[in-house]
Amino acid sequence: MPGDSAVNFNVLHRTCKLVVLLCFLHISVTLIFYVRSLDIRFAFVQNQQSNTPANVRSTNLTTKEEAKDDKIQVKVEGSPKNLEKCPETSPLLVGPLRVEFSSPVSLEQTRKENPNVEVGGRFRPTDCEALQKVALIIPFRNRDEHLKYWLYYLHPILQRQQLDYGVYVINQDGDEIFNRAKLLNVGYTEALKEYDYDCFIFSDVDLIPMDDRNTYKCFSQPRHLSVSMDKFGFRLPYNQYFGGVSSMSKQQYLKINGFPNNYWGWGGEDDDIYNRVASKGMSISRPDGTVGKCRMIRHDRDKQNEPNPQRFDRIAHTRETMHKDGINSLSYKVVKIEKEPLYTKITVDVGKP
Ligand code: BGC
């Protein structure tokens, strides 16, 4: 009937209108959600970019892609450039530490316990900008067991001290007589080729601090850090003693023309360095005897490191020799550079006497 078909047409017409309306509503809702998700995605990308430098710390390891990212990050809020400076005293310090060498430690264990240390032994805090860029230089030969303890104890301490740091083990190649101070000069030079360090810690491999408030950083005067060693009954053996662990800023180090290169065998080179510091009108800064406590790993005297009989004569002439003998006369050959997970090992030929 014509009346019925008119009614049917009306119903159909309304249904179609309703479907079109529903479609429109659906598209609108979808659009709104899409635009909102774009916002979220954008914020997420920004966040990711500002976190990246924390994960990509070693400048020498940065790929071209990452370098491109770095340029973007400079403009992004929260990038390292915008991080607040770390406080003068780290809030992470715990004070006195138990240090003992009765049970062995493995590199694997130390690596697992320090997941934030990057290849080559590099670290920098992620939540604040470190106050100093510190290269730790360890003169070395055949002391792998001692190095394991050093890495095991020092990595956690240095991280708690909120330092931007790198560990450099300078390994004397061959069997010639050992030359500690020359290896330290090599460490200074090689570390600076990798990163813009402003502070250098010169540490024997067998010395472990017993208190993390003994911050491994630089001060307004050259610093002696191992002031209270168990080996010397937790006191200074003599007032001018500057051996074991010391720190110097780049400026302080250059002021004294670095360290002597001609002390072969054990002893005297640290006294020469003391003389250099004193002759340039600088004094030695030290922590107090409690904070400066440290333990030495007991060992027999190394082969090819017998006491140097010439040391007394050399120490007596530091003021005359220091301008000719030092960083300005350093020569050596790099044999090998190995990037280990917890340290950088640089094997060098330093020649012979
Ligand atoms: C040596 C130093 C040594 C000190 C402590 C001195 O006689 O010249 O090189 O660090 O004794 O053992």
Side-chain angles (χ1 to χ4, degrees), residues 124-142:
R124 76 175 180 203
T126 51
D127 48 357
C128 61
E129 191 191 330
L131 297 181
Q132 295 190 9
K133 289 175 264 176
V134 181
L136 294 113
I137 315 289
I138 304 173
F140 185 87
R141 188 161 66 185
N142 296 332

Side-chain angles (χ1 to χ4, degrees), residues 231-232 237-238 241 243 266-271 311 315:
K231 173 184 169 184
F232 299 127
Y238 51 97
Y241 178 60
W266 182 90
E269 83 296 339
D270 45 358
D271 304 311
R311 65 185 189 282
I315 297 162

Side-chain angles (χ1 to χ4, degrees), residues 1-16:
M1 288 213 323
D4 280 354
S5 63
V7 171
N8 280 347
F9 178 76
N10 257 345
V11 170
L12 196 69
H13 184 70
R14 270 190 210 160
T15 314
C16 279

Side-chain angles (χ1 to χ4, degrees), residues 164-180:
D164 177 358
Y165 73 85
V167 176
Y168 297 87
V169 174
I170 314 299
N171 179 39
Q172 182 168 334
D173 193 38
D175 305 315
E176 273 301 335
I177 190 151
F178 197 64
N179 190 328
R180 177 178 183 267

Side-chain angles (χ1 to χ4, degrees), residues 78-142:
S79 72
K81 298 259 179 278
N82 295 329
L83 277 182
E84 270 188 36
K85 293 244 185 245
C86 296
E88 200 53 50
T89 306
S90 166
L92 308 175
L93 302 182
V94 297
L97 307 165
R98 212 169 83 97
V99 176
E100 48 100 20
F101 311 113
S102 52
S103 35
V105 290
S106 74
L107 289 174
E108 189 54 24
Q109 176 191 356
T110 305
R111 207 166 58 79
K112 282 195 187 134
E113 288 173 10
N114 296 274
N116 296 325
V117 172
E118 306 237 323
V119 72
R122 292 279 288 109
F123 170 85
R124 76 175 180 203
T126 51
D127 48 357
C128 61
E129 191 191 330
L131 297 181
Q132 295 190 9
K133 289 175 264 176
V134 181
L136 294 113
I137 315 289
I138 304 173
F140 185 87
R141 188 161 66 185
N142 296 332

